[in-house]
Amino acid sequence: MSVALLWVVTPHFEASTGTGFLVSVRKGNRLFDSSRIFSRDRNVPCKVRVMKRGKQKLSVSSLNAELDSSCIGASGLERGSKFSVLSSLVVTPADNLFMTSKQKVYDVVLKQAALLQRQLGTKEDIEVKPDFVLPGPLGLLDEAYERCREVCAEYAKTFYLGTLLMTPERRKAIWAIYVWCRRTDELVDGPNASHITPTALDRWETRLEDIFIVRPFDMLDAALSDTVSRFPIDIQPFRDMIEGMRMDLRKSRYKNFDELYLYCYYVAGTVGLMSVPVMGIAPESRATTESVYNAALALGIANQLTNILRDVGEDARRGRIYLPQDELAQSGLSEEDIFAGKVTEKWRHFMKKQIIRARKFFDEAENGVTELSSASRWPVWASLLLYRQILDEIEANDYNNFTRRAYVSKSKKILALPAAYFKSVIPPTRLPSPLVKA
Ligand SMILES: CC(C)=CCC/C(C)=C/CC/C(C)=C/CC/C(C)=C/[C@@H]1[C@@H](COP(=O)(O)OP(=O)(O)O)[C@]1(C)CC/C=C(\C)CC/C=C(\C)CCC=C(C)C
C-alpha cells in the first residue's frame, strides 16, 4: 500500500512533480492537473514533497502524517493564519437564540433536503455522472480512491465489508467521505491532538472549501473533490463536523441533553446527512426527502450516543464527561462518581434511561433505511444492527462501562449480516406512514 507523505512548507502550496504524481484529471469540461495542486492564491507557491512509502500497514500516524503538515504546519506552530471560518450552523441569527438544538438541526435537515430535491429534480433522476476518462497507466483518481479504500478497510473492517455491497460508484464515494471524516476526527482524537488549535481547524476548513472548488490538497482530498462533483453533496454537514471538533477542543462537559444533541449532530448526525445523497432514495419511495434525511440524522445521533455510553470510563480518564450534567444530578450522581467508576444502583438507573433514549433514535432511523435505494439498504441495516447491539452488551456487562468495553463478538457480527439482508429486501413502504408525503 502506498501512502503519500506530504511536507508542507507554507500553508500555500504547489505539489512538486518529483515522484510521478502526474496525471491530469478531467472535471466536467475543465481539466486540472493534480501534480500541480494549487492553493487558493495561485501566485503563492509552496513546496509539497510527495514520497511514496513501500507496502505497509496503515496506522493512525500514517493517516496523520498528511494532516500534520497541512493543519498543524510543518513546525506545529501557529502562524497567525488569515484563513477565515465560514458560517455554518453556529452562526445563529438573533431570533435563533431561543431555539433548541433540535430545532436548529432540523433547519439544516430541511435545507439539505431542499437542496437535494432542487439538484435532482425528481428522485427518479438519481444517477451518478459517468466515470472520468483518465490518461496514464493507472488514473490518478483511481489511485486516490484506492487509497481511500485501503484506509477504510484498515480502520473500519466491518463497515468496509458493508460498502462492498454497494454499487461501485457509491462505494467509492462513501470511502472518500469516510476518509475525510476519519481524518477530521483524528485531528482532535488522534496522536497529534494536543497540537491542534482552533487555527488549525480553520485551516482544515479552508482546505475543505478547496475540495469543494476542486482544488484538492492531496490525493485523499482529490477523491472527495471527485465525489462531491458527482453527487449532490452540500458542504454544510462537512463544515458542521469541523465545528464539532472545535466544540471538542473547548468543551469537556455538557450541561444538558440539548447541548449534547448539538454535539452529536456535529460529529455524527452530519455523517448521515453527507451519506444520503450518495446512498440515494429508492425511486419507488413515497417518503419525503426531509424525512429520509431526518432518519439519517437520527442514525448518526444514535451511533454517537451509543459511542458515548460505551466509552464513559475511557473518556473520564481523559477528563471528559459527555453525559448530560443535569440528568446525572437528577439521578443523584456527581462528577466524582464518574471518576470513581463504581457501578451503583444509581448508576444502573441512570444508564437505563440513557439506553432507552439511544434506542429511540435507532427506532427513528429504522423507518428511513427502508426508503433508501435497494443497494444501499443492506450495509446501512448492518451498521445499524451492529451498533445498536453495543447497547445490549452494555446491559450484559451490568452497566460497567467504566472498566469494561462493550463490544459485539465476531459471531454476533456475522449473525447480524443475514438479519440485515432480510430487512434490506423489504421494499419502501407504499402504505401511509409517518414518513410518507401527505
Ligand atoms: C453505510 C454507512 C454506515 C455509511 C457511513 C459511512 C461514513 C461516511 C462513516 C464516517 C464515520 C466517521 C469516521 C465519522 C467521524 C466522527 C466519528 C468518529 C463518529 C463516530 C462513529 C463511530 O466511529 P468509531 O470508528 O470511533 O467507532 P468505533 O470506536 O470503531 O466503534 C460514530 C459513532 C458516528 C458514525 C455515524 C454514522 C456512521 C452515520 C450513519 C448514518 C447513515 C449512513 C445514514 C443512513 C441513512 C438513513 C436514511 C438511515
Side-chain angles (χ1 to χ4, degrees), residues 9 47 85 155-156 363:
V9 177
K47 290 198 180 64
V85 185
Y155 279 81
D363 293 347

Side-chain angles (χ1 to χ4, degrees), residues 152 155-157 159 162-163 166 173-186 189 241 245 263-264 266-276 279-281 291-308 310-311 314 362 364-372 376-384 387 390 405-406 435:
C152 196
Y155 279 81
K157 290 186 181 65
F159 157 70
T163 62
M166 297 175 169
I174 290 290
W175 294 336
I177 296 174
Y178 175 85
V179 166
W180 185 87
C181 291
R182 182 91 265 162
R183 296 173 105 190
T184 305
D185 186 56
E186 287 289 315
D189 236 4
M241 181 177 277
M245 304 304 145
Y263 173 72
C264 291
Y266 280 143
V267 301
T270 47
V271 180
L273 304 191
M274 294 168 194
S275 308
V276 171
M279 309 259 180
I281 301 173
S291 65
V292 178
Y293 268 103
N294 220 25
L297 164 72
L299 184 52
I301 305 270
N303 284 348
Q304 189 60 31
L305 288 176
T306 303
N307 201 282
I308 287 171
R310 181 193 63 190
D311 296 342
E314 204 180 307
F362 278 117
E364 201 178 327
E366 283 204 2
N367 298 322
V369 191
T370 313
E371 308 300 325
L372 292 174
S376 304
R377 291 201 287 265
W378 191 4
V380 177
W381 270 120
S383 93
L384 187 154
Y387 230 77
I390 295 175
R405 193 174 211 255
L435 291 183

Side-chain angles (χ1 to χ4, degrees), residues 117 133 137 146 171 174 179 181 255 383 386 426:
Q117 264 177 337
V133 182
E146 174 55 16
R171 82 169 74 112
I174 290 290
V179 166
C181 291
K255 266 198 247 135
S383 93
L386 287 173
I426 299 169

